[in-house]
Amino acid sequence: MISTRIGESIPPNTKHAVSVCLPTWEATVGYEEGKPEIINALTTGYPRFFIHKAIQRLCQVLTDKYAKENEACLCFPSYEVAKRCREYIVVKSSIDGNVPKVRILQLATSKPVTAEETKWKRECKVAVVFVDKQFWPLMKQYWQHSGEILSSRLAEYVLYELFIVEKSSKTRQNNLSSEEARDEEEYIEQRFGRNLDFSYADTAKSLIKRRIATKVVDGEAELHEERQSTTEQFVEHVVDAEEVAPGVALTIPAEPSHRTGETGGTLHVSPEEDVYLFPSGMASIFTAHRLLLQLDAQRVNRSRLGHTPTQSVISSPSQRAIVGYGPPYKKTVMFGFPYTDTLSILEKFNHTYFLGQGDSTSMDKLKEILHSGEQILAVFMEAPSNPLLKMGDLLELKELANSYGFYIVVDETAGGFVNIDVLPHADIVCSSLTKIFSGDSNVIAGSVVLNPRSKLYPFAQTFMQQSYEDCLWCEDALCLERNSRDFVARTLKVNHNTERLLEKVLLPQEGKLFKKIYYPSTTSPETKRNYDAVRCQDGGYGGLFSLTFFSEKAAKVFFNSLQLCKGPSLGTNFTLACPYAIIAHYQELDRVAQYGVESNLVRVSVGLEPEEQLCKVFQTAVEASKNI
């Protein structure tokens, strides 16, 4: 079913949806301009940008109970995350000489006391950051950029636990609003009715990590084997792939649990030791950045102990222990034009070179920096980039890294595990599991994979052992495990659909209606060559492409004529489109245009609809645009 009403969830009636319907170009502009008729219509949104209604209600309860005058609050999944948020607020506000008082309150739900209770009850600790309302934008920035967010499912659980406590008071019971009562009634029905029970969450996480490490779709025999080692009741059935991917068998030949290393041989990846799960894809990138800054802090500390002069933007003694936020830490490099918050992490939590073209010209600039004698910490890149689907030369980057001693972090979300294998050429690989790995647009998560052959690996493992927190809520893990059972089959179907749509309908219009079609096989010969260098044997070019137009009017007509879901996110089981520059860069359209991200750009994420249906929908939009 297609969402068509402004502000409704995508898919419709999905409580924990990660996309929201903005069905027209004008609605998207209205959203970016904060028009009340658009903002007030939103029932949900992408979780790092839109605070889910369950989280809003939880924060309101906590504000009423614990906030001081003129304070606002926001909940985070752990005390350590809350401390990092506090650090960000203090550092950023200190630039203006106005240091706020930031309070952290930690709350814990009760532990299960019986075996039966473990099916629906789990101890969890959340941390609440309180700060004067004038600093709310900084707290919200940390939420968005870091991705270390509270799950809406976890917020519901904590809210329900609070209700139990509060109901011991007659006053609270009498003041329970009808909306809260309905929410509680629905929650109880879910808790004891439809939901998979919590006791299988750890097994679900193990299966997820195994799929990431080996690209294996767990067949019934594999699941049976896993059940025998844990429980006889874990998964009652495997989702029939025919429901989502007609004509594609569920059982895809599994790749071996290793990759070919850059120097030959095999690269063994341990699901339990090398794969880590996070509450969002951005949190995985943020953690990779923290890991690298922590490594660089050892150099900075050695320099200070040796009385080598350094310059720091942090002046007070208590703040000198803060890692990052500018000199004396080495710069990072953002290679290629990335998703907006990746660049925000590198710029706001440290300092970076932005080589936004992401092609051979950027490679030449990188070599100039390296040849100047400056040491850089790491290169971050997307494979391929979003939204221009450019692919940098990862093999050459690896050669430079070996020569000059920097590290490589790759976000392979747009490419996907099934299509490309970048791990042999990277130190850390990050991914948003919210996208094609899940597909259902109803859960947010991310992952980090460490390269066991990397010179960074010993430090990375130590860092993870000491600093990693599993903040992926158990219900989200259960949902993600269920969604990802057929991710290989879905990926192959999406590859096929996209290739056929481009071949039959869109590529014939390049140079006529479309100024440029961006896709790994069409963006440029350079991109195709670099992509093919890391493409898996049976992999394709993914389901994401972007279109630019000769006129904005034609772009608007084309977009408004598309009879499909329209909103943020990508990698969904249904085709999803958005005017990307408008929704991601509305306040900086002139700047991003320098890198090829034109204001009329429309990004499309292809889904699992029948090929003929997709072609018809896009052909209709093409005809409408040609007739203006």
Side-chain angles (χ1 to χ4, degrees), residues 274-552:
D274 302 332
V275 182
Y276 298 85
L277 303 179
F278 294 86
S280 72
M282 199 52 59
S284 69
I285 296 172
F286 183 67
T287 301
H289 188 246
R290 284 201 304 116
L291 184 158
L292 289 163
L293 284 180
Q294 192 64 50
L295 175 65
D296 201 34
Q298 295 182 350
R299 175 189 61 84
V300 172
N301 290 338
R302 287 195 300 268
S303 178
R304 284 171 175 157
L305 289 172
H307 304 290
T308 302
T310 59
Q311 179 184 4
S312 175
V313 295
I314 303 169
S315 57
S316 72
S318 63
Q319 291 178 11
R320 288 199 181 99
I322 295 175
V323 173
Y325 296 103
Y329 293 94
K330 294 178 184 177
K331 283 187 177 182
T332 54
V333 171
M334 184 67 244
F335 193 91
F337 190 94
Y339 178 71
T340 177
D341 284 307
T342 298
L343 183 58
S344 293
I345 287 173
L346 301 187
E347 291 181 335
K348 291 180 182 291
F349 294 87
N350 192 23
H351 50 172
T352 193
Y353 288 108
F354 179 31
L355 308 184
Q357 295 300 335
D359 54 18
S360 58
T361 61
S362 292
M363 189 69 75
D364 290 340
K365 291 180 181 178
L366 174 60
K367 290 176 182 177
E368 287 180 15
I369 296 168
L370 296 171
H371 293 166
S372 73
E374 179 178 357
Q375 292 182 320
I376 63 170
L377 178 58
V379 170
F380 285 69
M381 69 171 286
E382 295 179 345
S385 66
N386 174 19
L388 295 179
L389 286 307
K390 284 186 174 183
M391 186 73 182
D393 189 339
L394 192 53
L395 276 64
E396 185 173 8
L397 276 177
K398 185 61 177 176
E399 290 179 0
L400 291 173
N402 290 339
S403 298
Y404 290 92
F406 62 84
Y407 302 101
I408 299 176
V409 179
V410 178
D411 176 1
E412 58 74 73
T413 299
F417 301 125
V418 177
N419 291 323
I420 58 175
D421 187 9
V422 297
L423 186 64
H425 315 288
D427 299 284
I428 301 174
V429 174
C430 302
S431 185
S432 172
L433 305 180
T434 312
K435 310 305 192 299
I436 190 69
F437 188 79
S438 169
D440 277 347
S441 188
N442 63 355
V443 64
I444 183 167
S447 66
V448 156
V449 180
L450 303 178
N451 183 343
R453 285 194 172 179
S454 163
K455 59 183 178 293
L456 180 65
Y457 186 69
F459 178 84
Q461 278 213 319
T462 300
F463 177 89
M464 287 299 194
Q465 290 166 5
Q466 295 176 350
S467 302
Y468 171 73
E469 294 181 286
D470 182 357
C471 291
L472 183 62
W473 175 235
C474 58
E475 289 178 281
D476 293 309
L478 291 165
C479 180
L480 183 61
E481 186 282 319
R482 181 177 56 222
N483 292 353
S484 62
R485 290 174 193 166
D486 61 345
F487 85 98
V488 173
R490 286 187 288 103
T491 300
L492 297 177
K493 176 64 175 177
V494 165
N495 290 345
H496 172 81
N497 274 354
T498 309
E499 294 275 3
R500 299 298 288 167
L501 173 62
L502 287 167
E503 177 187 328
K504 286 185 175 182
V505 180
L506 301 179
L507 284 173
Q509 295 298 322
E510 190 170 25
K512 301 174 184 177
L513 173 63
F514 306 123
K515 183 178 179 181
K516 176 69 179 173
I517 296 177
Y518 293 93
Y519 187 61
S521 62
T522 66
T523 295
S524 69
E526 180 184 350
T527 281
K528 186 176 186 302
R529 181 174 64 252
N530 294 337
Y531 187 99
D532 286 345
V534 296
R535 185 157 64 102
C536 298
Q537 182 176 353
D538 297 319
Y541 295 98
L544 195 67
F545 65 84
S546 293
L547 309 167
T548 57
F549 296 75
F550 287 104
S551 75
E552 188 162 299

Side-chain angles (χ1 to χ4, degrees), residues 111-403:
K111 297 179 181 180
V113 295
T114 66
E116 181 64 26
E117 280 192 347
T118 61
K119 295 181 180 180
W120 55 270
K121 195 178 189 69
R122 174 168 287 206
E123 181 188 27
C124 64
K125 295 178 180 179
V126 297
V128 193
V129 177
F130 292 89
V131 70
D132 190 276
K133 289 179 181 177
Q134 67 173 307
F135 299 106
W136 163 261
L138 288 175
M139 184 156 58
K140 180 62 163 47
Q141 277 181 26
Y142 183 86
W143 173 280
Q144 175 184 324
H145 298 328
S146 74
E148 296 188 315
I149 65 175
L150 193 76
S151 155
S152 55
R153 290 181 176 88
L154 175 55
E156 282 188 337
Y157 180 77
V158 174
L159 200 58
Y160 172 64
E161 292 290 300
L162 286 177
F163 278 150
I164 292 176
V165 174
E166 293 293 340
K167 278 188 172 181
S168 62
S169 163
K170 280 189 175 182
T171 302
R172 175 60 189 163
Q173 191 171 8
N174 291 338
N175 290 338
L176 191 66
S177 71
S178 58
E179 181 184 1
E180 289 169 334
R182 286 196 303 273
D183 287 338
E184 183 187 3
E185 182 179 348
E186 179 182 352
Y187 187 85
I188 292 173
E189 193 242 324
Q190 287 183 334
R191 173 67 52 242
F192 296 104
R194 300 188 299 273
N195 282 11
L196 288 170
D197 72 60
F198 290 5
S199 62
Y200 304 131
D202 292 340
T203 301
K205 291 180 181 181
S206 293
L207 286 169
I208 291 167
K209 290 192 283 187
R210 191 168 75 186
R211 289 168 196 170
I212 293 169
T214 64
K215 307 175 190 175
V216 169
V217 172
D218 300 284
E220 289 191 46
E222 290 170 300
L223 282 174
H224 178 73
E225 179 182 350
E226 187 74 27
R227 280 201 302 267
Q228 294 300 318
S229 64
T230 54
T231 176
E232 294 293 331
Q233 304 172 359
F234 179 45
V235 182
E236 294 180 357
H237 66 280
V238 174
V239 177
D240 183 359
E242 292 293 331
E243 295 177 5
V244 293
V248 180
L250 175 63
T251 304
I252 304 298
E255 295 197 7
S257 59
H258 56 75
R259 286 123 161 146
T260 301
E262 60 170 325
T263 58
T266 57
L267 180 61
H268 295 276
V269 178
S270 166
E272 294 304 324
E273 295 181 7
D274 302 332
V275 182
Y276 298 85
L277 303 179
F278 294 86
S280 72
M282 199 52 59
S284 69
I285 296 172
F286 183 67
T287 301
H289 188 246
R290 284 201 304 116
L291 184 158
L292 289 163
L293 284 180
Q294 192 64 50
L295 175 65
D296 201 34
Q298 295 182 350
R299 175 189 61 84
V300 172
N301 290 338
R302 287 195 300 268
S303 178
R304 284 171 175 157
L305 289 172
H307 304 290
T308 302
T310 59
Q311 179 184 4
S312 175
V313 295
I314 303 169
S315 57
S316 72
S318 63
Q319 291 178 11
R320 288 199 181 99
I322 295 175
V323 173
Y325 296 103
Y329 293 94
K330 294 178 184 177
K331 283 187 177 182
T332 54
V333 171
M334 184 67 244
F335 193 91
F337 190 94
Y339 178 71
T340 177
D341 284 307
T342 298
L343 183 58
S344 293
I345 287 173
L346 301 187
E347 291 181 335
K348 291 180 182 291
F349 294 87
N350 192 23
H351 50 172
T352 193
Y353 288 108
F354 179 31
L355 308 184
Q357 295 300 335
D359 54 18
S360 58
T361 61
S362 292
M363 189 69 75
D364 290 340
K365 291 180 181 178
L366 174 60
K367 290 176 182 177
E368 287 180 15
I369 296 168
L370 296 171
H371 293 166
S372 73
E374 179 178 357
Q375 292 182 320
I376 63 170
L377 178 58
V379 170
F380 285 69
M381 69 171 286
E382 295 179 345
S385 66
N386 174 19
L388 295 179
L389 286 307
K390 284 186 174 183
M391 186 73 182
D393 189 339
L394 192 53
L395 276 64
E396 185 173 8
L397 276 177
K398 185 61 177 176
E399 290 179 0
L400 291 173
N402 290 339
S403 298

